[in-house]
Structures are given as structure tokens and as C-alpha cells.
């Protein structure tokens, strides 16, 4: 992937879901209650409300729903809906940290570990997001995230995930002299590939600030004559390699990273629904508009077009509403 100017030096983050300008949580709760009653759930109503309110507003609706009906809206959605449409609607009802915790739990506690989910979340979240995620994980599942990562993964992949999950990355610090030293350490790690060198490599990528790593990557290019992503791909393999690359790409431009992940999930994995849903829901209020732009720039077709081509029914309608594409995007 190409190297873009990193977000931390000035790009505006833009989501596709914004707070509804006119908002009445009691009215929305009443409409949702009606839509969820009876034999046939009115899925169009669910889409029209839940994809057109920001997460804070959806939580206010849930509170009004509980006061009105004495039931939990999230549980009613889980019990009434099914399939991938259910996953989208339910995902929208979690606060961001709780949604990350939900995804991590199911990635590790299902039938086999879904490593790419762990990579997507832990490689891209800030210290604050990781702290909130760990708190939510403990509250929701009475389990420690670090302990679960330790027991469900292995090797240097596990060590790197554990390091990221500490949430102790430096912030706002950059030292050109140290950047040159770190670049040399990474270059040696790519040459030697011993356990000790792998540990040093992941320590740099997991703990140095984004500003620092931006300089490290430039210094690495100067030292080796090679892009660091190409070097990692040549020197390592497996999920350890995928995680290291994900960290580098998130440092450079998270929107481009998620555009790349969406494209792979749609085109190379036969529409990997869990990945598409997770990214659209999690990034909808952060940078999904940026992701859409990167997607079209890099792959020629819009994200709206590809979702419409590979999905159907109310599931398709829900994804497209979150994506918020225009008619010309198709």
C-alpha cells in the first residue's frame, strides 16, 4: 500500500453517522416498540432509526425504551432478529468500547480464534480506547482481556498483542536521533530474525508514538533502501507478520488500512460478513467517510457499489445506510 500523510498531522476525521439534528428518544422508542411487536418485525423502521442516530442518541433511545416497556432494547433486537442483519442492528446498540470488547470476546471464545479481528482492533486503537475496551471487557464478561489473549494465542503474535493491549504507547513524542537508532534495530531484526530481535521489533512498533514511528519508517527506508512493509513481508510470516504490517499501516493512515481490510473481506474472502460489519459499525462515527474515499481511490469502485453487489435484502440496506453512499457511488 502507498504511504499517505498521517492523520495526526492534520487530516479531519469524518464519520458517516452524525447526531440527528431533530431527535426525540421517547418517540423513537415508541416507534421501535411498534416495529418489534407482532409476527413480522418492521425491519425498515429499525434501519431508518438506528442507522440515522449517533451512538449516544441510540443509548438514549434504549433508556427511553426501557422506561416505556420495561424491557431491554438490545435483548429484544437479539431475540427478534436473525442472521447478519441482527449482527448489524445489535452492533449499533453497543457503546464503542463495549462493541470492541464484544468483538474481541467472540473472536477468542468461539470455535477457534479469529486472529484478524484481534489484529484489526488492537493494532488500530489509541491508549484511551484500549483502556475503555479493557474496562468494558471486564464488566461484560467478568474476564481479563490480557489473560484471555495470553491463553488463546501463542508465540510472538501473542506477545505483540499483549504489548498492544497494555495501552502504553508514547503520545506526542518524536526524537530524530532515536528514530535512526530504532530503524537500525528494525533492520537488524529483519536480518537476524531471532526471538530476541523479534521482541525488540515488536517493542518499538507497540510502544513508540505515531510521530516517532513515522520518522522511524523514513529512516528505515534510508538505511535499507526498502519500504518497511516489504521488509516485514519478506522476513516474517503468519499472524505475527500480519499484525506487524497492520501496525505500520495504521501508523501511516488508518483510513487506508481499513479500506484495504474491507476490500480483502469483500473480494478475497467471499464477503467475510463479520469483518465488513465490524469495520462499518466501529468506524461509522470516526472515519468511515475517509475510508470510503480511500477505497474508491485505491480500488476504482466505491464501497457502496461493492456492498450492493455482494449483499442483499435488509442486510444490504442496513450496510448501505451506514456506508451512506450517494446514488453516483454505485
Amino acid at each position: 500500500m502507498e504511504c499517505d500523510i498521517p492523520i495526526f498531522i492534520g487530516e479531519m476525521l469524518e464519520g458517516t453517522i452524525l447526531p440527528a439534528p431533530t431527535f426525540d428518544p421517547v418517540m423513537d422508542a415508541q416507534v421501535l416498540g411498534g416495529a418489534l411487536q407482532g409476527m413480522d418485525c418492521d425491519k425498515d423502521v429499525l434501519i431508518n432509526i438506528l442507522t440515522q442516530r449517533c451512538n449516544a442518541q441510540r443509548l438514549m433511545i434504549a433508556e427511553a425504551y426501557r422506561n416505556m416497556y420495561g424491557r431491554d432494547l438490545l435483548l429484544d433486537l437479539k431475540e427478534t432478529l436473525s442472521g447478519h442483519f441482527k449482527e448489524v442492528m445489535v452492533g449499533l446498540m453497543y457503546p464503542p468500547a463495549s462493541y470492541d470488547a464484544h468483538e474481541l470476546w467472540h473472536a477468542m471464545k468461539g470455535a477457534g480464534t479469529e486472529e484478524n479481528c484481534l489484529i484489526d482492533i488492537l493494532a488500530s486503537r489509541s491508549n484511551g480506547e484500549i483502556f475503555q475496551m479493557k474496562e468494558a471487557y471486564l464488566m461484560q464478561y467478568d474476564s481479563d482481556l490480557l489473560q484471555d489473549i495470553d491463553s488463546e494465542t501463542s508465540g510472538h503474535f501473542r506477545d505483540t498483542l499483549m504489548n498492544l493491549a497494555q495501552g502504553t504507547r508514547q503520545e506526542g513524542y518524536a526524537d530524530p536521533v532515536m528514530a535512526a537508532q530504532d530503524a537500525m534495530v528494525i533492520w537488524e531484526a529483519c536480518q537476524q530474525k531471532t526471538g530476541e530481535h523479534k521482541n525488540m521489533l515488536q517493542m518499538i512498533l507497540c510502544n513508540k508514538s505515531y510521530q516517532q514511528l513515522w520518522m522511524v519508517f523514513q529512516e528505515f527506508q534510508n538505511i535499507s533502501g526498502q519500504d518497511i512493509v516489504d521488509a516485514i513481508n519478506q522476513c516474517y510470516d503468519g499472524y505475527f507478520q500480519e499484525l506487524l504490517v497492520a501496525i505500520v499501516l495504521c501508523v501511516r493512515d488508518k483510513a487506508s488500512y481499513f479500506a484495504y481490510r474491507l476490500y480483502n473481506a469483500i473480494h478475497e474472502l467471499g464477503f467475510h460478513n463479520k469483518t465488513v460489519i465490524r469495520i462499518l459499525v466501529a468506524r461509522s462515527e470516526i472515519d468511515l467517510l475517509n475510508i470510503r474515499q480511500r477505497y474508491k481511490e485505491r480500488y476504482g469502485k466505491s464501497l457502496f457499489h461493492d456492498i450492493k453487489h455482494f449483499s442483499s435484502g435488509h442486510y444490504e440496506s442496513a450496510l448501505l445506510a451506514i456506508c451512506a453512499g450517494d446514488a453516483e457511488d454505485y
Side-chain angles (χ1 to χ4, degrees):
M1 295 175 63
E2 297 174 11
C3 174
D4 293 286
I5 300 299
I7 282 171
F8 57 74
I9 65 174
E11 182 179 39
M12 294 294 293
L13 295 174
E14 296 186 84
T16 56
I17 296 180
L18 304 173
T22 56
F23 172 60
D24 183 344
V26 174
M27 178 64 73
D28 284 347
Q30 185 175 8
V31 174
L32 287 172
L36 289 167
Q37 301 305 309
M39 295 294 293
D40 294 319
C41 172
D42 193 334
K43 297 182 178 66
D44 291 321
V45 168
L46 301 185
I47 294 170
N48 290 339
I49 292 179
L50 297 182
T51 68
Q52 303 305 311
R53 311 289 188 269
C54 69
N55 187 260
Q57 291 176 333
R58 292 192 291 267
L59 296 180
M60 292 171 65
I61 293 169
E63 183 179 358
Y65 187 94
R66 186 179 298 106
N67 293 336
M68 188 177 299
Y69 298 106
R71 299 196 306 273
D72 187 290
L73 176 57
L74 181 62
L75 290 178
D76 280 0
L77 290 170
K78 287 181 178 180
E79 292 176 359
T80 305
L81 305 178
S82 62
H84 299 308
F85 179 70
K86 170 184 173 180
E87 293 176 36
V88 178
M89 293 294 103
V90 167
L92 289 169
M93 293 308 303
Y94 283 101
S98 295
Y99 185 61
D100 279 348
H102 171 270
E103 292 296 288
L104 289 171
W105 170 265
H106 287 283
M108 289 187 283
K109 297 303 181 181
T113 302
E114 189 185 345
E115 288 85 359
N116 282 323
C117 175
L118 305 182
I119 292 171
D120 282 350
I121 293 176
L122 291 171
S124 64
R125 300 312 194 249
S126 67
N127 289 345
E129 289 169 333
I130 289 172
F131 175 78
Q132 293 175 348
M133 175 201 311
K134 289 192 290 187
E135 291 288 302
Y137 193 93
L138 182 62
M139 289 284 292
Q140 288 166 221
Y141 304 109
D142 192 27
S143 188
D144 182 84
L145 176 60
L146 286 165
Q147 290 179 2
D148 286 350
I149 292 172
D150 187 42
S151 64
E152 299 295 331
T153 60
S154 61
H156 292 286
F157 176 63
R158 175 196 60 208
D159 297 341
T160 309
L161 289 174
M162 294 278 285
N163 200 333
L164 290 169
Q166 298 287 343
T168 54
R169 184 182 296 283
Q170 295 174 345
E171 296 179 340
Y173 175 80
D175 181 341
V177 174
M178 182 60 69
Q181 296 175 4
D182 288 341
M184 183 60 71
V185 170
I186 294 175
W187 185 79
E188 291 175 354
C190 289
Q191 303 303 307
Q192 303 296 327
K193 293 181 281 189
T194 65
E196 180 181 356
H197 284 91
K198 288 179 181 178
N199 287 335
M200 295 170 68
L201 169 58
Q202 63 98 354
M203 286 291 289
I204 292 171
L205 293 182
C206 294
N207 292 289
K208 299 301 175 77
S209 72
Y210 275 25
Q211 292 89 335
Q212 181 73 12
L213 288 175
W214 187 255
M215 290 193 296
V216 170
F217 301 158
Q218 291 177 311
E219 289 292 340
F220 184 89
Q221 177 87 39
N222 295 336
I223 293 169
S224 66
Q226 188 177 30
D227 184 80
I228 189 168
V229 171
D230 294 333
I232 291 171
N233 285 335
Q234 287 180 11
C235 296
Y236 301 106
D237 57 18
Y239 290 116
F240 177 61
Q241 169 257 325
E242 292 184 31
L243 178 55
L244 297 180
V245 168
I247 296 169
V248 173
L249 297 181
C250 285
V251 169
R252 287 177 167 170
D253 184 0
K254 286 181 185 178
S256 289
Y257 171 72
F258 285 116
Y260 155 75
R261 289 287 294 125
L262 282 168
Y263 186 84
N264 281 359
I266 292 170
H267 290 275
E268 296 188 12
L269 299 173
F271 207 89
H272 193 266
N273 294 282
K274 286 185 178 298
T275 299
V276 174
I277 293 168
R278 180 177 65 249
I279 294 175
L280 291 188
V281 170
R283 310 308 293 186
S284 60
E285 294 182 44
I286 302 172
D287 56 357
L288 187 52
L289 188 58
N290 306 73
I291 293 167
R292 275 178 42 193
Q293 292 168 343
R294 296 292 191 276
Y295 192 99
K296 192 161 188 178
E297 290 166 4
R298 293 176 181 277
Y299 306 114
K301 295 288 182 67
S302 70
L303 179 59
F304 188 91
H305 169 278
D306 283 354
I307 289 173
K308 193 169 181 64
H309 184 74
F310 286 98
S311 58
S312 61
H314 286 96
Y315 174 47
E316 172 196 311
S317 299
L319 292 180
L320 293 179
I322 297 171
C323 180
D326 299 319
E328 59 267 23
D329 283 335
Y330 184 70

